[in-house]
Amino acid sequence: FYEELNYLLDKITEKDEYTKQHCKRVADYCLFISKKLKCADTLLDNLVVASLFHDVGKCFISDEILQKKGKLTKEEFKEIYKHPTHTKKLLSGKFTEEVISIAYEHHERLDGSGYPCGLMGDELSLASRIIAVADSFDAMTTQRPYNTPQDSSDAVDELFFMRDKYDRTVTTALKDLVYSGELFKMIEEVNS
């Protein structure tokens, strides 16, 4: 089992350092949000594992697409949209169905506008709703080839007001963590 975990971690690291660090930050955010929401330990454990590996499928996406500065073409977006499916395949047989499902659904949105399945509303588990917020928050607040990072409070406000896409309970928990300063205190503790 640990050999397979190390294999997956190596796949992420091989792709690029950003993806590795992104997955770690998303796992931390998922943990903090879950604790704030007083989620059951089982959900929390599954969510943290899923978030650590949610982007492992990107190892099948070309660097030219992942590192591209500026807008992607329609064809390039089609390739990006495949990474949750690649992740699902890589995680299958290595983790529980719950972990696989959470990782697979990290780009789904409440209004059905997400991918790969266009799930909506109650079709999305709480864990999938949490990882969606954590993943988007990290993408918005870190430097990527195609965007300039936003301030944490601006990013969380933007997510909070997109109630059609993101769960209001989850975005409220993250907003409380950001505005109280708890989030940054927790990050310091984890990294020290």
Side-chain angles (χ1 to χ4, degrees):
F1 178 73
Y2 287 107
E3 284 177 19
E4 291 184 13
L5 280 181
N6 286 329
Y7 167 77
L8 290 173
L9 288 170
D10 287 346
K11 292 298 259 180
I12 294 170
T13 305
E14 277 171 26
K15 195 61 182 172
D16 69 324
E17 186 63 24
Y18 176 85
T19 300
K20 177 183 172 186
Q21 294 305 318
H22 165 70
C23 290
K24 185 188 177 316
R25 286 189 302 269
V26 171
D28 288 344
Y29 296 147
C30 286
L31 175 66
F32 305 150
I33 293 167
S34 298
K35 285 186 173 184
K36 182 80 175 169
L37 294 175
K38 296 178 172 53
C39 294
D41 287 345
T42 308
L43 181 146
L44 200 147
D45 292 343
N46 287 336
L47 180 56
V48 169
V49 171
S51 56
L52 280 172
F53 298 105
H54 75 279
D55 274 346
V56 71
K58 284 187 176 176
C59 66
F60 292 111
I61 310 296
S62 76
D63 288 340
E64 291 75 29
I65 293 174
L66 290 177
Q67 304 299 326
K68 183 175 179 180
K69 294 180 191 304
K71 193 145 176 70
L72 297 176
T73 66
K74 201 174 195 175
E75 290 71 31
E76 290 168 334
F77 271 119
K78 283 181 185 174
E79 287 303 306
I80 289 285
Y81 292 160
K82 293 176 184 176
H83 83 269
T85 303
H86 295 314
T87 294
K88 182 179 182 178
K89 287 177 187 167
L90 284 169
L91 299 184
S92 292
K94 296 172 183 69
F95 296 102
T96 64
E97 285 303 313
E98 290 84 5
V99 167
I100 295 165
S101 179
I102 296 164
Y104 183 57
E105 295 174 6
H106 75 275
H107 278 292
E108 298 289 355
R109 300 295 178 255
L110 291 175
D111 63 359
S113 65
Y115 63 91
C117 300
L119 300 177
M120 59 192 310
D122 292 339
E123 294 174 311
L124 294 169
S125 68
L126 176 59
S128 296
R129 295 168 190 230
I130 292 170
I131 196 172
V133 169
D135 184 53
S136 296
F137 179 73
D138 188 67
M140 295 164 78
T141 57
T142 56
Q143 183 70 52
R144 289 184 158 196
Y146 52 81
N147 79 323
T148 306
Q150 291 185 36
D151 177 74
S152 297
S153 54
D154 291 341
V156 78
D157 285 345
E158 188 175 328
L159 292 169
F160 180 79
F161 288 112
M162 286 195 275
R163 66 171 50 178
D164 56 326
K165 296 189 183 308
Y166 299 98
D167 186 291
R168 181 52 72 96
T169 305
V170 178
T171 58
T172 298
L174 180 59
K175 189 172 180 172
D176 290 348
L177 289 168
V178 169
Y179 276 89
S180 69
E182 275 182 87
L183 182 70
F184 310 106
K185 221 180 287 179
M186 293 166 136
I187 289 169
E188 279 179 35
E189 288 172 12
V190 166
N191 292 321
S192 61

